[in-house]
Every structure is written in C-alpha cells, then in structure tokens.
Amino acid sequence: MRAALVLVLALWSAPAAAQDTASAARAAAERLAAASVQLDGAQAARDRVSALTETVRAYEAGLAALRDGLRRAAIRERAIAVELDAKRDEIAALLGALQSMSRAPAPLLLLHPAGPLGTARAGLVASEITPALQSEAAALRADLQEAADLAMLQQGAIATLEEGLAGAQSARSALSEAISERVDLPMRFTENPVATALLIASTDTLDAFASGLAQTVDAELSAAMPDATGLKGEIPLPVQGQVLRGFGAADAAGVTRPGLVIATAPRSLVTAPVAATLRFRGELLDYGNVAILEPAAGVLVILAGLAEVYGRTGEILPAGAALGLMGGDPPEAHEILTETAQGGGAPRPETLYLEVREGDVPVDPGTWFAPG
C-alpha cells in the first residue's frame, strides 16, 4: 500500500494542482510506514491501541489521496480526449502530410516541377514548415502517451484499492479488539449505571440529558481533570470529513440544531479531538450511539451518530485516542473507480453530529474547533 500510493501518483510530476495530491500520497505512505514500525514495537495494550489508531488514520489518509489522484487522472484523461477530438481534422491533415513525406524518396522531396527556382523556394518553405510539423507531432505523441499512461493507471488501480480497503478494514478490526483488552487508562470517576439509566428514561431531549449528566457521577477520584481551555479555536475535528451544516443552520426540513453536521466516509475513525474525560457512551434517544466528552470543567463535547463507541465511562482519554467508528459499509474498489471515472469525489453518506455546551448552554463549536 505504501509503495502503491507513491507509484500510482508518479505520473503527476508537473501540474501544480497534482503536486498537492502527490505530496499527500507520499505523506500518507510515510505515515503508514511509521505506524507499521510503531505497531511492530508495541508491547503493552495501550501502545498497540495507539499504533493501530495511527494505522487506521494512515490508511484513511492514503485512500483519500488515492481517490483524489484517480479523480484527477479521470478528469485529465477526459480533457485530453476532448482536445484530441476537437483537433481531429488538424491531426488528420498532420498525419497525412507526415505519411506522404515518409513515403516519398528523399531526392524527390528536393525537386520541384518549376525547376531550380521552384526547388529553392520549396526548400525555403519546407525549412519553415518541417520544424512546425515536428513540434505538432511531438505534442500529439506526448498527449497520446499521457492518455495511455492514465488509462494504465486506472486499470491497475483496482488491485491497489482492494489492498488498501482490506488493510484499513483489518486495522479497524484489530483496533476494536485491542481496545476491548485495554484496561490501563486512568479513571476520573466511576459510573452509576442505575442513575444513568434513570436519567435516560426521564429525558426526551439531548439538551435535558446533557443538563442532568453531572448528577450521574457516583464518586470523583483524585485523577487530575483535563483542561483544554488553552486550545480554544485550535482543536481539530474528531473525524475526517466535510462540514455539511454549521451552528444553527437549518436542514432540508427546516430543523435547526446548535451544532455541526459533519459528512464522513463509511467506517471512518472518530478520535478524541483533545484530552478529555469520557462522561457518557451508549445509545441515546434517536441520536444513535453517543459519546460525551468533558475537555474542561463545565464544558461538554457531544458526538452523536457513531456505529461503535469505545472506552468506559469515567476514563480520561488522551488527545487522538480512538473513540469509535462511523457506520455504513465501505465501498468496493470497482465502486470507487466508477465514481472517479465520472469525475466525482468520494461519497460521504454518514453524518456525525458535534455539539459543544458550556454551563448547560450550547455554543458555536467554531469557538473551540479549528475550521475545516
């Protein structure tokens, strides 16, 4: 997968826009290599979880770069085809002239029916035309070679995609297993499951549940509480994706929510964006699986819509710790190739809802999270 990421995008050596794609692919390849070394050296369960988390992230970054490279390749291939089709008559004339010149004996090319003067004039004209014909032929040859290289790239990409998708899925499965064996994270408090169950049963909104969450704490322990207030405005989003709706924006039904809706690819890894206490994890109302983090006193970060949530309530999670996975089924390799052949980007059918509350009041997540 590491080698394929670099080799598949090796064609993109000149266009400025493609340099970003090639750089992203190389960065992902290097990241995957580093994660492999980290995984090989992992001894404790906690080290293995950290290495597998980075491995999943590297696979996601690599597949995203590969998708982007294939999309650019498909767009460029179509552009070349359109250019060649528009020059069809010009190319036919060029090929005809070159073919005639190649078939005629060299001495005849130097003679002219009008005699020596005509031959001299024809020689002058030929001296002007020949370099232009050679230049046109070279440009045509370069376009045809690029089109052939792009076609070969896309034909050979299915094996690379299948390898990458299988590797990512294997890393996700190993991560889930490793997390189930991890027991060494510090606990800030112990959960009272009965109180939590009663709270869920007695509330019918996310707002009411978040407001009553502090009352479910059974016993505070001596572990230091995370404090992310110094990182306000710089915290990365917890998942790779695109913000569909911002704070207070209405959806298609006109419903507004005081949080962000982030579109993600299926089975995307969700991580703790900052060191925080896991205050709640589990199914809640119609939000699906929910994880609620406390990155600072009186501040809650609510993440809803996950398919799987890791960890135990009360654990102090370090920044970047695996928190869960989004739902859906990863696309097959042929589906990705179909998308890129049509020039489209990767579909993002899963959505993660992110809300930030300060003192029981929802606030714009943009005050805490970095844009993008």
Side-chain angles (χ1 to χ4, degrees), residues 333-354:
H334 66 85
E335 294 175 330
I336 295 176
L337 290 177
T338 299
E339 295 160 7
T340 55
Q342 297 172 350
R348 302 182 186 274
E350 302 299 316
T351 55
L352 177 72
Y353 177 69
L354 186 156

Side-chain angles (χ1 to χ4, degrees), residues 5-369:
L5 280 170
V6 177
L7 293 176
V8 164
L9 294 170
L11 293 174
W12 298 97
S13 58
Q19 284 292 336
D20 294 338
T21 301
S23 297
R26 292 188 180 91
E30 292 170 1
R31 186 174 183 179
L32 190 57
S36 298
V37 173
Q38 183 182 357
L39 186 59
D40 290 340
Q43 299 295 329
R46 185 171 183 176
D47 295 335
R48 181 170 174 78
V49 168
S50 177
L52 285 168
T53 300
E54 182 58 23
T55 300
V56 173
R57 284 175 166 175
Y59 267 115
E60 290 183 347
L63 288 169
L66 187 55
R67 281 178 186 265
D68 189 47
L70 290 172
R71 180 181 61 83
R72 292 182 187 275
I75 293 173
R76 178 56 183 158
E77 186 182 25
R78 286 202 309 276
I80 292 174
V82 170
E83 291 173 5
L84 293 177
D85 188 63
K87 296 179 179 179
R88 184 183 298 274
D89 294 339
E90 181 182 341
I91 292 172
L94 172 63
L95 293 177
L98 292 173
Q99 189 176 31
S100 297
M101 293 175 65
S102 66
R103 288 179 177 176
L108 292 181
L109 294 176
L110 302 176
L111 299 179
H112 193 275
L117 183 59
T119 300
R121 288 175 176 172
L124 292 174
V125 173
S127 67
E128 295 290 337
I129 292 177
T130 301
L133 290 176
Q134 292 176 337
S135 177
E136 287 288 335
L140 176 61
R141 184 164 51 249
D143 284 344
L144 292 174
Q145 183 61 51
E146 184 179 2
D149 290 342
L150 291 171
M152 181 181 65
L153 181 153
Q154 294 175 81
Q155 290 171 1
I158 189 164
T160 302
L161 284 170
E162 288 176 344
E163 179 186 351
L165 292 169
Q169 186 58 32
S170 176
R172 292 187 188 105
S173 299
L175 175 62
S176 297
E177 181 179 351
I179 286 179
S180 67
E181 300 172 353
R182 183 187 64 188
V183 294
D184 59 344
L185 285 181
M187 300 286 290
R188 182 163 165 258
F189 63 84
T190 55
E191 181 191 24
N192 184 328
V194 175
T196 302
L198 290 174
L199 177 60
I200 294 175
S202 63
T203 56
D204 56 1
T205 65
L206 181 62
D207 184 86
F209 179 81
S211 297
L213 185 62
Q215 301 174 13
T216 66
V217 177
D218 183 42
E220 294 287 346
L221 300 184
S222 59
M225 180 178 182
D227 187 358
T229 53
L231 300 175
K232 288 187 68 172
E234 302 176 3
I235 299 175
L237 291 177
V239 68
Q240 182 180 12
Q242 180 180 0
V243 176
L244 285 183
R245 287 190 295 276
F247 177 73
D251 60 17
V255 178
T256 61
R257 296 186 186 277
L260 304 180
V261 177
I262 305 171
T264 77
R267 306 302 290 168
S268 290
L269 177 66
V270 181
T271 59
V274 68
T277 304
L278 182 60
R279 295 302 302 263
F280 174 81
R281 54 151 292 187
E283 294 188 7
L284 179 64
L285 306 176
D286 60 346
Y287 287 88
N289 276 318
V290 173
I292 300 181
L293 304 175
E294 186 179 19
V299 178
L300 296 179
V301 175
I302 302 170
L303 301 171
L306 295 87
E308 299 178 35
V309 181
Y310 303 140
R312 293 177 297 159
T313 302
E315 284 183 334
I316 299 177
L317 302 176
L323 193 59
L325 292 172
M326 298 300 294
D329 296 317
E332 300 292 337
H334 66 85
E335 294 175 330
I336 295 176
L337 290 177
T338 299
E339 295 160 7
T340 55
Q342 297 172 350
R348 302 182 186 274
E350 302 299 316
T351 55
L352 177 72
Y353 177 69
L354 186 156
E355 183 177 311
V356 178
R357 303 176 66 88
E358 296 181 13
D360 293 338
V361 178
V363 298
D364 184 355
T367 61
W368 284 85
F369 289 86

